[in-house]
Amino acid sequence: MTNLNLPSLPPQWRARMARLPSTPPSWLLARVLDRLLLPRLDGAQRSALQGQIVEVELLELGARVRLLLGARGFAAAGDQGQPRLRLRARADALWRLLRGQDDADRLFFDGALAMEGDTEYGLILKNTLDAIGPLWTAPAFGRH
């Protein structure tokens, strides 16, 4: 199992990171999700998730991304508007979730993942991700 333990930045640096615009990293993540997640969403799932801002914060960095699923795919939501759902987690917890090594329920109850906002929307997102399985699998290089 890959361990992704990033050291936490000092509080003053996390505060500075939190003030940086979210658009550049959000745009990059939107492109990745357009390739890894969007093709796996059916019409009903897209409709249920579309048009809402989701914010994800990496706790050890203070960095955040703000995403919105639109008719043409994922987009950076910018820094305007309140997110319908805000997730806060350490990078290693998110990595385990994306790889299917942990589920959102376990991470939530273990305190590794915090959710704030519309609980119903959060459950729709969680159930959608559970239904499609891991978004990222390890490359097969060097395996026998």
Side-chain angles (χ1 to χ4, degrees), residues 56-60 87-91 93-94 112-114:
V56 180
E57 180 183 351
L58 294 176
L59 292 175
E60 59 270 73
L87 302 170
R88 291 186 176 101
R90 292 188 56 87
L94 289 175
L113 174 69

Side-chain angles (χ1 to χ4, degrees), residues 25-127:
S26 299
W27 181 88
L28 180 62
L29 183 58
R31 300 296 64 79
V32 170
L33 291 176
D34 279 345
R35 294 189 62 116
L36 296 178
L37 178 58
L38 189 63
R40 297 171 68 184
L41 296 176
D42 64 32
Q45 292 166 327
R46 286 184 191 196
S47 179
L49 297 172
Q50 198 166 350
Q52 305 300 322
I53 297 172
V54 175
E55 182 176 288
V56 180
E57 180 183 351
L58 294 176
L59 292 175
E60 59 270 73
L61 299 178
R64 62 194 167 84
V65 294
R66 294 169 50 89
L67 299 167
L68 177 70
L69 176 58
R72 293 184 170 186
F74 289 92
D79 292 321
Q80 304 301 313
Q82 289 295 315
R84 181 147 183 205
L85 184 67
R86 181 176 286 124
L87 302 170
R88 291 186 176 101
R90 292 188 56 87
D92 61 333
L94 289 175
W95 184 242
R96 290 192 316 267
L97 182 65
L98 291 175
R99 298 205 48 199
Q101 295 170 331
D102 258 329
D103 65 19
D105 290 329
R106 179 176 175 193
L107 294 172
F108 179 78
F109 289 113
D110 286 350
L113 174 69
M115 181 179 73
E116 173 183 309
D118 187 334
T119 305
E120 182 178 344
Y121 186 79
L123 286 173
I124 291 169
L125 178 60
K126 177 212 166 299
N127 291 338

